[in-house]
Structure formats: C-alpha cells, structure tokens
Amino acid sequence: MAERTVWKGHIKLSLVSCAVGLYPSTSSGGKIRFNTLNRKTGNRVKRQFIDSETEKVVESEDQVKGFAVGKGSYIQVEDEELDALKLESTHTIDIESFVPREEVDERFLDTAYYIAPTDKVSNEAFCVIRDAIRDKGMAGIARIVLARRERMILLEPLDEGLVGTTLHAADEVRDEDKVFDEISEVKYPKEMKDLAAHIIESKAAHFDPKQFDDRYEEAVAELLKSKQAGKPLKEEPSEKPSNVVNLMDALKRSVSAEKAGSAGKKTAPPKKTAAKSKAAKKPAPKTKARKAG
C-alpha cells in the first residue's frame, strides 16, 4: 500500500518546479493508547462543547472560530474565510534562499517530513533540484502552509529524496540567557574534570536509536497483560540513590563502576569516518534567537 501524503503541491526553484508530496517521517501508531471511561459504568465517555452562558450542548455545525477583542467580545471567523486567504505557499514550496547547514541553530528545528515526487513526469526536475542542493552542500530555506499556517521549512537531500524540517519562528524560541544567567562559574580541581572525561570516554559509542527502548511503554504493556490475566503486577526493585554526597567520591566511584562493567569486553572508541563527519552537525554558535533564512 502506497504511503499517504500529508500535503501535496509543487516545489519551486526559480522557474523550475515539480509536483511533490510530504510524508510523515515518524509514526506513533504502535504506541499504547487509552480511552476515557466512566469509572462507575465502564462505558466510554464523549466530549461535548457547552455554551458557557446557556450551558446547552453546541453541535459541531454551530461551532465557529472566535478571536477575543475584549472581555466576552469576539470576532467570528468562518473556515471558508480562512481558506480564501490564498498564499502562494499554500500549494508551493518556494525555495527562497540557501544557507550553510551549520548556521541553522538546532533549537529552531521542529518536525521532519520526507519529500518525494508524486508522478513520473516530475521525477527529472526533482532529481535536478535534489542533486544541485547536494552538490552545493547547502540547505534550502522555503515557505509552506501546513494546517492553515505558513511555516519556514529547511530542505536537505536524504538518499534519493529530500527531507524537509519545519522551523520555529524567532519568537517561538526562548532566549537561553533567561535560564542560564543563574549558573555561576566555579573553580574545581582539574582531577574532577579528568575523571568526568574518563567516564565520557568509557561510554563513547555511535548513535543508534534502536538501542533506546521505550521502557515506560514496555511497563504499561506488562501492566495491561497482568491486569487482563487477573494477576498482580510484579514490582521490580527500584534502584536506590547513592549516599555519596562528595562530588570527588562520586566521580571516583563512577569510574570504578564503569571499569567493572566493561571488564572482559573492551570496546574500541568509535572511529571518525568521512561519512560520519559529513553527517555530523556542528553545535550552533551561541547567538540570540533569530529566524533562519
């Protein structure tokens, strides 16, 4: 079965354009979902919108968007009126500029989508645009309308296609200084940093998301399985926090624990490869939040 698109339109580079579709890059379909029930009857409950004054149920056909302009005063806006606000980016990903990828602050990245041509006629133009972006080693900045909202989107080559990542606006990214200003500089023995560095080296590995299981999801599944079988859930002994209050002692004990854990199976630190270096993202410079592109 063909993958379903969440958006269809055209990608445009100057006068070159082709039909493309956006496909979700992630899925939550396998996650456990709960329904809300009436505890007394065990029946599912349903949500209803209630008029705040008359306390009567408002059916979906009588619901309308409202923008508050004062206390209890709203401007009503129909869906048709919003649909009439047609922007070029409603059906077109118009690439406006190209920027060095390392200049894009990671905090601005939001949701990633796969982008691919939707018909054979568009394949050639799509490949031309994709390969030109790849050869230049740049990332494209474009606009797109998703869910009636115009978003900036970052375009990068990925294998045979493109990956587009929507970007947060400048006013959506908080200034880090408001959080970090309270962190005061301290002087500590060099040995402490050396011990911490040793722990980091002992844990060096390549990024592999398959290693990170959702332990909470697994615990929920086990809970449901036990309840369905009418058996009490076995409680796993929780790990007690360490009583070490001295930072130097904690670091030394951590180093000893890491050595004991890795005894008999030495793992060589990951080697830097050309492919890894190319894929790695340099940390963004500390700058004030600003809109990319």
Side-chain angles (χ1 to χ4, degrees), residues 7-62:
W7 182 95
K8 277 188 176 182
H10 288 77
I11 190 169
K12 182 180 177 185
L13 176 62
S14 188
L15 300 179
V16 180
S17 66
C18 62
V20 297
L22 260 66
Y23 302 82
S25 66
T26 59
S27 171
S28 59
K31 296 294 183 181
I32 294 172
R33 296 180 182 275
F34 291 99
N35 294 306
T36 302
L37 309 179
N38 182 334
R39 188 190 300 275
K40 294 180 180 178
T41 66
N43 299 327
R44 286 184 60 179
V45 301
K46 60 180 181 179
R47 287 186 171 88
Q48 292 180 314
F49 284 90
I50 307 296
D51 189 298
S52 60
E53 296 294 329
T54 67
E55 296 188 351
K56 292 183 178 180
V57 175
V58 181
E59 301 298 340
S60 58
E61 61 268 19
D62 295 322

Side-chain angles (χ1 to χ4, degrees), residues 205-207 270-281:
H206 290 295
F207 175 67
K271 296 180 180 179
K272 293 183 178 180
T273 62
K276 180 176 175 61
S277 299
K278 186 177 180 181
K281 307 301 183 187

Side-chain angles (χ1 to χ4, degrees), residues 87 110 144-151 167-169 171-172:
L87 301 173
D110 188 10
I144 186 173
V145 172
L146 291 171
R148 291 200 177 108
R149 179 189 171 194
E150 187 175 59
R151 305 286 305 271
L167 301 172
H168 292 293
D171 59 1
E172 293 177 328

Side-chain angles (χ1 to χ4, degrees), residues 3-291:
E3 295 288 337
R4 295 182 61 181
T5 60
V6 295
W7 182 95
K8 277 188 176 182
H10 288 77
I11 190 169
K12 182 180 177 185
L13 176 62
S14 188
L15 300 179
V16 180
S17 66
C18 62
V20 297
L22 260 66
Y23 302 82
S25 66
T26 59
S27 171
S28 59
K31 296 294 183 181
I32 294 172
R33 296 180 182 275
F34 291 99
N35 294 306
T36 302
L37 309 179
N38 182 334
R39 188 190 300 275
K40 294 180 180 178
T41 66
N43 299 327
R44 286 184 60 179
V45 301
K46 60 180 181 179
R47 287 186 171 88
Q48 292 180 314
F49 284 90
I50 307 296
D51 189 298
S52 60
E53 296 294 329
T54 67
E55 296 188 351
K56 292 183 178 180
V57 175
V58 181
E59 301 298 340
S60 58
E61 61 268 19
D62 295 322
Q63 297 169 17
V64 64
K65 290 179 173 64
F67 178 78
V69 292
K71 187 175 181 180
S73 179
Y74 302 87
I75 298 174
Q76 293 188 9
V77 181
E78 301 288 345
D79 288 343
E80 293 76 12
E81 293 177 295
L82 294 174
D83 291 336
L85 300 176
K86 293 182 179 178
L87 301 173
E88 184 180 4
S89 53
T90 302
H91 299 291
T92 304
I93 302 175
D94 193 356
I95 306 177
E96 298 184 352
S97 60
F98 291 90
V99 300
R101 178 60 181 82
E102 60 270 16
E103 286 187 6
V104 182
D105 191 320
E106 301 293 320
R107 293 172 296 176
F108 283 85
L109 303 181
D110 188 10
T111 305
Y113 298 90
Y114 297 135
I115 303 177
T118 52
D119 55 55
K120 292 183 179 180
V121 176
S122 301
N123 198 71
E124 182 180 34
F126 178 85
C127 290
V128 169
I129 294 173
R130 176 204 64 201
D131 293 343
I133 296 175
R134 176 176 284 132
D135 290 349
K136 285 297 181 181
M138 305 279 274
I141 299 291
R143 296 176 186 269
I144 186 173
V145 172
L146 291 171
R148 291 200 177 108
R149 179 189 171 194
E150 187 175 59
R151 305 286 305 271
M152 301 299 290
I153 188 168
L154 183 78
L155 305 175
E156 301 174 86
L158 179 66
D159 296 332
E160 301 303 313
L162 292 171
V163 61
T165 307
T166 54
L167 301 172
H168 292 293
D171 59 1
E172 293 177 328
V173 177
R174 298 177 60 194
D175 187 346
E176 71 275 13
D177 288 343
K178 294 179 180 179
V179 179
F180 297 159
D181 275 350
E182 298 301 316
I183 302 176
S184 57
E185 289 296 325
V186 296
K187 291 184 177 181
Y188 52 81
K190 180 177 178 296
E191 184 184 0
M192 284 189 177
K193 187 169 71 171
D194 291 342
L195 288 169
H198 180 82
I199 296 171
I200 292 172
E201 289 175 5
S202 68
K203 291 180 175 289
H206 290 295
F207 175 67
D208 181 5
K210 293 180 180 179
Q211 293 181 349
F212 297 91
D213 298 324
D214 189 337
R215 294 181 294 182
Y216 179 76
E217 185 83 2
E218 293 173 355
V220 172
E222 188 62 32
L223 169 64
L224 294 173
K225 184 178 178 181
S226 297
K227 290 179 74 70
Q228 190 174 23
K231 299 177 181 179
L233 181 68
K234 295 179 181 179
E235 290 189 14
E236 297 292 337
S238 57
E239 185 176 338
K240 295 182 179 180
S242 171
N243 292 324
V244 179
V245 293
N246 181 281
L247 180 57
M248 181 68 83
D249 287 345
L251 288 167
K252 288 180 177 179
R253 291 194 185 186
S254 296
V255 170
S256 298
E258 290 299 324
K259 287 181 178 179
S262 60
K265 53 173 186 177
K266 292 185 177 180
T267 304
K271 296 180 180 179
K272 293 183 178 180
T273 62
K276 180 176 175 61
S277 299
K278 186 177 180 181
K281 307 301 183 187
K282 296 181 180 178
K286 184 178 180 181
T287 58
K288 297 291 183 181
R290 58 185 178 84
K291 184 179 289 185

